[in-house]
Structure formats: structure tokens, C-alpha cells
């Protein structure tokens, strides 16, 4: 009895303290408004929208494990004789960075597990962010009013790659040192300013004495700060603009349908976060990654066998290996096009295309409306084919980055593989574009046949005259809605003779983008309903 009363008294005091604290905070900050806005937000329930959450939770693992590793890592480059726990390396000269990495691995409690969790979380973070960007691209979720969020997402992806490279280089082992030598060559290939940039970053001639310390500061301070700020801005815009949604019954361009934050979304999100933490922990416990003790300390006259970077920068390695040895001298300066074009110009062009694509597509369409319904990829065959071509282009370069390993495994000449990849990097995207576009149009034709004939039942009947026929059943309303409610622009009208060249180019691109399509059979009433559901939100009423 006494224990029960005491428990009730403590609970009452805790509730009163929480209420008092909430009231005090609410009087000094817009807490109630923020909580109300968050609780009123409708969260999506389709699995494809969880890809961004996987990236967010893997980033949380990165922050937690990285904070722990920061307590023990020494970014010094001064050499000393190693006398630590790992016997095979005793007596070798090592830098402070490499020695502290070995100390974390063998002497710090849980150090190896945390190191591997940090590395695996980095790979998962970049992979989830990349797949999330592909989902946004293929469904058209980058269109107005979400262009700024797309730009932020592309910047996050670029910063994630930079953050991964900085962390990959910190241990100063033979593998990461080989990557640093490649990075130094890339920086020096920049015309006019390359040598100055190299001297500034490395603190003198390679390997220098300051690069690890500077990478460490960028890795734990500058880049994470930018990532956290941009992730915060990204989430704020998601809450403000609301999420996109698939075309289903009750979902239009003028409403937002989803699950409330509590309890549905909270339960799902907590479960997903625990799953991400658990999977990364299991990977770190059973799948070895980056065993720096096996590579040994970096030596400028040695190269690690089978040296390849992490997958997200592997396409740069592949581009370097496929580029012909083009160099020329201008005014006494050697221009290394064989390094500058694949490692500086190529990624610059790729990210520039990613930044500008939403604005390019809006210009081609002449679209000024807001879009909150996702596109089915098959309904935008040219955009989907362009995305598939880009994926194939990236995949070929990634495979070329390991051509020496492939040559050893399959007993093929490296020169033969290089020429195969050179042909594939040009022909592969073109073939992927053509095939993907035809597949999208074939899927549209399949949808049209289903609308006209219905869904197959597998039942065949025979008439008294002996003729066989198949019985089909009408499509369910949900599937019919999903097929018919699509927002596919019509090509712009052909400009009159003598029109400006820019206008003619825009019309030609619009025709190329949206000429090929399969019209869906629909009644006049259905077409009217579809136009109403795909229309943009109504403008706010003006006050008198």
C-alpha cells in the first residue's frame, strides 16, 4: 500500500515537472506551434519513401561511432617505431595516424567493432542516398515546388562522397596512401593552379606533412557540419512542402494522404531505425572491412595489391583506367588530359547535369504547375531511359575500376578488358536507353490492353459452334485509377517559320521527350476526372 502511494506520488511529481517545463519552454519559444505542425503532418506509407530514412539512420550511426573514434585517433604524420600489440608490424616506422588506428583496433575496448560499424555505415549511407535520389528522379518527385530540395539532395550526395574519401584516407595505410597518391595526381592535373593546390593541401611535395591533419579537420568538423545543416534544411522542406504520393484513389495533386506521426509513423520509424542499427552491427561483427593491419603502413615506393577505392568513387578509378594517354605541352606546362578529363571534368559535368535537370525538364515542358503525384516510370519513357543510361554508364566505369582483378580472376588480358570497357562505356548507355524506352512503351501498351480487355482469369470456354474463348474479368477500381490518373504533358506546338532558334530547339526537345506514348482508352467523363485530379493546387484566395 505504502509503495503504491509513493509510486503514485512520484508519478504525479514527474508529470507536474514535465508540464511545468513544457509551459516554460512554450512561453519562450514556439514549441506548441512546432509540435502541432509536426503532429498534423501526414507521413507516407509506401516502402520506397523509407530509403531516405535508411540514409538518415545510417548517418546517425556514423555520428555516434565517429564521435567515439575521435576520442582515440591521432592525425599526426610524424613517424616513430611501432611497438604496439600487433606483433607482425613491430619495429616498422609508422605515422601517428596509422599507429593510433592500430591502437583503436587492438587495444581499445570494442574499437574494431566501432571502426567497422563506422565504415559499413558510411557505405550504407552513400548507397541509401544514391538509391533515394534514383527514386526521386524516376518518379518525378524533383518537380516544382521541390527543385530546391533536389539541389540540396545532390549536394548532400556530393558531400557524402567527399566525407567518405576523407575518412578512407585517415588511417595512412598502404591502401589509403595509394588513393592519396592518385588524389594528388588529380589535383596536380588541374591546369595553371594544380601545383599550387597540391602544395597547399599536402603542405609541400607529396606526401607532405599536413594532409592527414587537414583531412581529419574536414572529416570531423567542416563536412559533418555542412551535412547536418543540409539534412536539417532537407527535413524542414519535406515537412513544409509535404511528401509526394502515388496516384491512388483519394490522392490528387491537391491533397496529402498518409499516416499520422503518432502512433503509426513513430512505430514504423523506430522499428526501421533499430533494423538499420542491427544490420550494420551484424555486418560489422561478421564481415571484415578495411583490415589496415594487413595492408601495412604507407610507403611511397610501394602499392597495395588489388588497390581499389570504396565503390562510390570507383567510377573515377575506372574513368582513369579507360582514358587514353593524352598529354600535350603548352607554354612549357604539361596538360594531363588523361587525368584531368576523367577525374575532374567528368564528375563536374555529371553533378552539373544533376543540378540542372529539374530546371531543364521544366523548360522543355513549359510547366508552371505544382506536382504532388508521383509519375509511374513507364509513363515517362524518355526520362526513365535517360536514368537507365546513366546507371549503365556508371556501372561500366565502376567495373573498369577493377579490371586488373577481373583479368586475374577470369584469365583475360588487361588490354582486352580495357578495350571492351571503352566500347561498353559508349555503346552501353545508348543500348540501355533504347531498350528501356521500348520496355516502357510496351508496359504502357500492356496497360492499355488490360483496360480494354480486362484481366486474364485463365478460364477457357468452348461455344456450341466449337470456338474457344477466354473469360476476362474487369479491372478493379484501384488499378484502373492508378493507370488512368497520369500526368503526361503533350509536346509543344511546332513554332512558326522564322521563330527564334531557342524556341525551335525547345519545341524539338519537347517533341523528342513526349512524342512517343500510348493513349489510354477512357470515356469523356473519366478524362474530365483525371484532369481534375492531376490539376495543380488552387491559388490562395485574395483578401478583399
Amino acid at each position: 500500500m505504502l509503495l503504491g502511494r509513493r509510486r503514485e506520488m512520484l508519478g504525479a511529481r514527474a508529470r507536474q515537472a514535465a508540464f511545468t517545463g513544457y509551459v516554460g519552454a512554450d512561453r519562450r519559444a514556439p514549441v506548441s506551434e512546432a509540435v502541432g505542425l509536426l503532429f498534423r503532418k501526414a507521413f507516407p506509407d509506401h516502402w520506397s519513401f523509407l530509403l531516405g530514412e535508411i540514409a538518415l539512420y545510417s548517418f546517425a550511426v556514423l555520428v555516434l561511432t565517429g564521435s567515439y573514434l575521435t576520442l582515440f585517433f591521432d592525425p599526426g604524420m610524424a613517424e616513430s617505431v611501432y611497438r604496439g600489440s600487433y606483433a607482425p608490424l613491430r619495429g616498422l616506422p609508422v605515422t601517428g595516424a596509422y599507429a593510433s588506428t592500430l591502437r583503436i583496433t587492438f587495444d581499445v575496448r570494442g574499437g574494431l567493432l566501432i571502426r567497422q560499424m563506422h565504415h559499413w555505415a558510411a557505405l550504407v549511407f552513400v548507397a541509401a542516398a544514391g538509391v533515394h535520389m534514383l527514386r526521386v528522379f524516376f518518379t518525378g518527385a524533383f518537380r516544382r515546388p521541390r527543385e530546391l530540395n533536389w539541389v540540396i539532395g545532390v549536394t548532400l550526395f556530393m558531400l557524402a562522397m567527399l566525407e567518405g574519401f576523407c575518412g578512407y584516407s585517415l588511417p595512412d595505410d598502404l591502401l589509403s596512401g595509394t588513393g592519396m597518391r592518385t588524389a594528388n595526381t588529380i589535383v596536380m592535373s588541374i591546369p595553371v593552379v594544380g601545383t599550387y593546390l597540391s602544395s597547399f593541401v599536402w603542405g609541400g611535395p607529396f606526401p607532405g606533412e599536413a594532409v592527414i591533419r587537414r583531412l581529419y579537420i574536414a572529416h570531423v568538423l567542416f563536412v559533418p557540419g555542412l551535412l547536418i545543416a543540409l539534412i536539417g534544411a532537407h527535413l524542414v522542406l519535406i515537412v513544409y512542402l509535404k511528401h509526394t504520393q502515388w496516384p491512388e484513389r483519394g490522392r490528387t495533386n491537391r491533397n496529402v494522404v498518409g499516416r499520422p506521426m503518432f502512433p503509426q509513423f513513430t512505430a514504423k520509424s523506430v522499428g526501421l531505425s533499430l533494423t538499420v542499427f542491427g544490420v550494420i552491427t551484424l555486418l560489422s561483427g561478421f564481415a571484415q572491412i578495411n583490415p589496415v593491419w594487413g595492408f601495412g603502413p604507407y610507403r611511397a615506393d610501394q602499392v597495395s595489391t588489388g588497390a581499389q577505392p570504396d565503390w562510390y568513387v570507383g567510377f573515377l578509378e575506372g574513368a582513369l583506367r579507360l582514358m587514353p594517354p593524352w598529354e600535350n605541352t603548352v607554354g612549357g606546362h604539361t596538360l594531363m588530359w588523361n587525368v584531368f578529363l576523367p577525374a575532374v571534368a567528368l564528375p563536374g559535368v555529371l553533378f552539373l547535369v544533376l543540378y540542372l535537370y529539374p530546371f531543364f525538364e521544366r523548360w522543355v515542358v513549359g510547366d508552371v504547375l505544382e506536382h504532388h503525384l508521383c509519375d509511374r516510370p513507364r509513363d515517362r519513357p524518355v526520362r526513365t531511359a535517360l536514368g537507365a543510361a546513366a546507371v549503365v554508364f556508371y556501372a561500366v566505369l565502376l567495373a573498369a575500376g577493377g579490371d586488373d582483378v577481373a583479368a586475374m580472376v577470369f584469365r583475360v588480358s588487361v588490354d582486352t578488358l580495357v578495350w571492351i570497357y571503352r566500347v561498353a562505356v559508349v555503346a552501353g548507355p545508348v543500348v540501355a536507353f533504347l531498350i528501356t524506352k521500348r520496355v516502357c512503351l510496351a508496359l504502357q501498351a500492356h496497360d492499355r490492353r488490360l483496360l480494354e480487355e480486362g484481366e486474364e482469369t485463365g478460364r477457357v470456354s468452348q461455344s456450341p459452334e466449337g470456338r474457344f474463348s477466354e473469360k476476362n474479368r474487369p479491372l478493379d477500381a484501384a488499378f484502373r485509377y492508378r493507370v488512368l490518373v497520369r500526368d503526361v504533358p503533350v509536346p509543344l506546338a511546332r513554332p512558326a517559320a522564322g521563330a527564334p532558334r531557342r524556341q525551335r530547339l525547345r519545341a524539338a526537345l519537347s517533341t523528342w521527350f513526349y512524342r512517343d506514348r500510348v493513349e489510354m482508352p477512357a470515356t469523356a467523363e473519366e478524362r474530365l476526372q483525371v484532369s481534375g485530379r492531376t490539376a495543380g493546387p488552387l491559388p490562395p484566395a485574395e483578401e478583399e
Side-chain angles (χ1 to χ4, degrees):
M1 181 68 71
L2 292 176
L3 290 176
R5 290 180 180 177
R6 184 173 180 81
R7 188 180 300 111
E8 292 179 0
M9 186 181 301
L10 291 175
R13 289 180 179 177
R15 288 191 295 272
Q16 182 62 34
F19 178 75
T20 303
Y22 178 82
V23 171
D26 189 50
R27 289 174 177 175
R28 295 163 176 81
V31 177
S32 295
E33 290 82 352
V35 172
L37 178 64
L38 191 60
F39 271 81
R40 287 195 303 270
K41 174 173 168 51
F43 288 87
D45 54 2
H46 194 269
W47 67 266
S48 63
F49 292 91
L50 301 179
L51 295 169
E53 291 188 43
I54 294 176
L56 177 63
Y57 296 137
S58 58
F59 181 74
V61 177
L62 279 171
V63 172
L64 293 174
T65 55
S67 300
Y68 183 79
L69 294 175
T70 303
L71 301 176
F72 305 99
F73 183 74
D74 173 20
M77 294 191 68
E79 288 192 346
S80 61
V81 177
Y82 179 71
R83 304 186 187 280
S85 301
Y86 190 63
L89 293 179
R90 288 176 186 166
L92 291 179
V94 298
T95 61
Y98 187 71
S100 65
T101 304
L102 294 179
R103 185 170 61 253
I104 292 172
T105 302
F106 297 108
D107 299 329
V108 175
R109 187 178 297 275
L112 177 59
L113 177 64
I114 299 298
R115 268 196 63 238
Q116 299 208 147
M117 286 182 64
H118 194 69
H119 203 127
W120 275 115
L123 299 183
V124 173
F125 174 59
V126 180
V131 178
H132 176 63
M133 286 181 58
L134 289 176
R135 198 277 304 174
V136 171
F137 177 82
F138 284 120
T139 62
F142 54 80
R143 294 174 295 175
R144 185 177 180 185
R146 296 176 179 83
E147 300 98 333
L148 178 58
N149 230 7
W150 170 262
V151 171
I152 291 176
V154 174
T155 306
L156 281 171
F157 187 71
M158 184 171 58
L159 289 175
M161 295 174 62
L162 175 61
E163 177 77 343
F165 174 76
C166 291
Y168 171 85
S169 305
L170 288 181
D172 199 30
D173 59 284
L174 187 57
L175 183 60
S176 65
T178 303
M180 288 296 296
R181 175 178 286 281
T182 303
N184 179 260
T185 305
I186 293 172
V187 172
M188 293 187 68
S189 72
I190 302 176
V192 182
V193 299
T195 54
Y196 300 101
L197 285 176
S198 172
S199 179
F200 170 75
V201 173
W202 274 265
F206 182 86
E209 298 180 354
V211 64
I212 298 297
R213 184 172 63 253
R214 291 173 177 176
L215 288 178
Y216 180 69
I217 294 173
H219 184 69
V220 304
L221 182 61
F222 294 149
V223 181
L226 289 174
L227 285 172
I228 293 173
L230 289 177
I231 288 174
H234 193 69
L235 295 177
V236 168
L237 284 176
I238 289 175
V239 173
Y240 176 72
L241 298 173
K242 310 298 186 294
H243 64 270
T244 54
Q245 52 193 359
W246 291 102
E248 296 181 6
R249 293 179 65 86
R251 301 182 179 185
T252 69
N253 264 336
R254 298 182 176 182
N255 67 357
V256 179
V257 180
R259 302 290 183 181
M261 178 178 179
F262 188 84
Q264 284 91 340
F265 177 77
T266 302
K268 181 186 296 185
S269 189
V270 169
L272 180 62
S273 66
L274 295 177
T275 301
V276 171
F277 273 68
V279 170
I280 291 176
T281 304
L282 288 176
L283 279 173
S284 306
F286 293 100
Q288 179 177 271
I289 189 170
N290 199 24
V292 296
W293 58 90
F295 304 140
Y298 177 65
R299 290 290 177 269
D301 59 340
Q302 298 179 9
V303 176
S304 177
T305 303
Q308 277 85 30
D310 283 333
W311 69 268
Y312 45 85
V313 290
F315 76 101
L316 293 178
E317 178 78 13
L320 285 168
R321 297 188 183 196
L322 296 186
M323 187 69 185
W326 293 347
E327 292 183 0
N328 64 310
T329 303
V330 177
H333 296 276
T334 300
L335 301 180
M336 299 186 296
W337 303 115
N338 56 327
V339 178
F340 176 77
L341 291 179
V344 179
L346 176 64
V349 171
L350 290 179
F351 278 101
L352 182 63
V353 169
L354 288 176
Y355 277 120
L356 297 181
Y357 185 84
F359 309 98
F360 168 76
E361 185 173 299
R362 188 178 67 181
W363 176 74
V364 169
V365 177
D367 188 8
V368 296
L369 299 177
E370 291 186 7
H371 298 274
H372 302 284
L373 288 178
C374 292
D375 290 327
R376 301 173 77 202
R378 68 184 66 182
D379 293 332
R380 300 289 186 114
V382 173
R383 179 206 292 160
T384 303
L386 287 174
V391 171
V392 170
F393 179 76
Y394 176 88
V396 172
L397 291 181
L398 183 62
D403 58 359
D404 54 340
V405 178
M408 181 182 65
V409 172
F410 297 104
R411 301 182 183 278
V412 182
S413 168
V414 174
D415 290 339
T416 302
L417 278 180
V418 167
W419 279 105
I420 291 174
Y421 287 134
R422 283 177 177 174
V423 174
V425 79
V426 176
V430 176
V431 174
F433 177 88
L434 296 176
I435 292 177
T436 303
K437 184 178 179 180
R438 297 314 306 173
V439 169
C440 289
L441 293 174
L443 291 173
Q444 290 186 41
H446 177 68
D447 289 342
R448 178 183 177 89
R449 186 176 65 82
L450 289 177
L451 291 173
E452 291 176 340
E453 302 177 4
E455 188 177 4
E456 297 179 354
T457 62
R459 297 176 59 188
V460 179
S461 60
Q462 184 178 14
S463 65
E465 295 82 12
R467 189 173 71 178
F468 291 93
S469 61
E470 182 182 9
K471 291 186 176 297
N472 293 349
R473 58 172 174 263
L475 296 177
D476 65 298
F479 183 79
R480 187 175 182 86
Y481 185 95
R482 187 163 60 250
V483 173
L484 288 179
V485 178
R486 60 177 191 167
D487 184 13
V488 182
V490 296
L492 296 177
R494 185 175 181 179
R501 183 178 302 175
R502 183 172 181 270
Q503 188 175 350
R504 297 199 305 269
L505 174 62
R506 182 181 181 186
L509 289 173
S510 177
T511 301
W512 179 66
F513 259 80
Y514 302 110
R515 174 187 57 200
D516 297 325
R517 67 172 71 198
V518 177
E519 298 294 342
M520 298 299 162
T523 63
E525 180 180 357
E526 287 177 332
R527 294 185 186 280
L528 183 61
Q529 293 179 359
V530 169
S531 63
R533 285 163 172 76
T534 56
L538 295 173
E542 297 183 359
E543 297 182 1
E544 296 182 358

